Amino acid sequence: MYNRGATKWQKRFTKLRSFRLPLLITFMALMFVVVILGIDKKKPTSQLGLMTQNDSNLDDESVIRFDPTVEILNGTEIIWQIPNSPRSVLFLAHGCNGKAANFWDKSTNCDHCVGLPEERAIVLEAIARKFAVIAVSSKGKCWSLMKETLVVERIIKWWVKKQNLESLPLVALGASSGGYFVSMLASKMKFSSIVVMIAEGVFDQIDVTEHYPSTLFVHMPKDKRRKKMIDANLEIMRRKGVDVAEVQCLELPLTPRFLADRVLGLDLKNSVQLFNLFKEKGFIDKNGYLINDGRVIPWKEAMSERKISLPNKLFVNYIQEELNLAFAYHEMTSLQSLQIFNWYESHL
């Protein structure tokens, strides 16, 4: 209410002040939303967020892109990528029947790269976290623990020196055969920490002391035999003074959009078709959980019978990996990337 004796200017000022307060509150609320959304957009940590960025055509510094370099050194293939201002070096070791090319998408720089869903997501997370990444292909189907340990040690040291990264800490991740390999390599090289995935390591074959790098076991407890050995190694390594921990990966239920969400480029129509097929064939239970390992159920034959076509023949390999992941018995996983990279960063 205005004073009767107030001047015309005072009346206008009072009206303006009463109008500006709610306007200021509204403006501040909008700014808060913008800031929160901006932080979430620039620093994604989930696979879905990283995949969305990688597929974006936005010319933005926050977009994570694959830009690998391929080299052949004395008959051994190495593939690597270095982000701006790297803070650490990550060595990746694939499992049996794997190769370095599994970690990057096909591109002009790497026309034989295949970008398996879980492998590519790990590299994207690494690049987003400013880790320089180097992957090496094994000579044979699986890693030779004795013959290739010295070879890979020399390659990593040569590459680190060539790229002027010698001042950065080294970390490593290996899955299955690569997990055994990394656990052996860590007894020869100085890593600040390592991740041994779906493997118990070769700690019965090496001399573990308090100087052995901090070790995180990422495993699938459905594999009871391996879980038992990992439990034993955790206890032994703790007694030796090694900083160790574990992350257990549990099975996942399939949903109509599960495969579309996890396989880049697979549309929702195909994902729904496959989900319905799995239900009809009894490959999943009433809650969506696979009744058997994805490697065992005849889903490819059933898909062929139903004449379900995929946009790319490589999608069969992508889907296979995600089914193995959902069954959670023995497969590389990126779902635990947050724990994995937090482990690395806490030991740099």
Side-chain angles (χ1 to χ4, degrees), residues 218-231:
V218 178
H219 66 102
M220 298 178 170
K222 185 181 283 187
D223 184 346
K224 295 180 180 179
R225 183 186 67 85
R226 183 163 282 110
K227 179 185 181 300
K228 185 176 180 180
M229 291 186 285
I230 289 172
D231 288 342

Side-chain angles (χ1 to χ4, degrees), residues 46 57 61 64 80 98 121 135 161 170 177 190 204 214 249-250 256 288 296 314 340:
S46 68
N57 292 318
E61 290 181 356
I64 310 301
W80 52 270
K161 184 176 181 180
L170 283 170
S177 174
K190 185 178 181 180
D204 58 335
S214 300
C249 311
L250 306 178
V296 176
L314 283 175
I340 289 170

Side-chain angles (χ1 to χ4, degrees), residues 146-160:
M146 304 309 297
K147 293 180 180 179
E148 292 186 281
T149 302
L150 183 59
V151 172
V152 171
E153 180 183 3
R154 287 174 176 171
I155 287 174
I156 295 174
K157 289 181 177 179
W158 165 82
W159 179 79
V160 165

Side-chain angles (χ1 to χ4, degrees), residues 68-124:
T69 298
V70 181
E71 291 192 45
I72 306 296
L73 186 64
N74 297 325
T76 300
E77 180 183 59
I78 63 173
I79 304 180
W80 52 270
Q81 182 170 343
I82 305 174
N84 294 327
S85 305
R87 55 193 304 229
S88 181
V89 173
L90 168 62
F91 165 66
L92 293 172
H94 60 75
C96 288
N97 297 310
K99 53 187 177 180
N102 289 351
F103 291 95
W104 280 268
D105 288 346
K106 183 177 181 178
S107 65
T108 54
N109 293 349
C110 185
D111 60 3
H112 66 291
C113 282
V114 295
L116 290 176
E118 300 308 306
E119 284 84 341
R120 72 185 298 277
I122 289 172
V123 171
L124 284 172

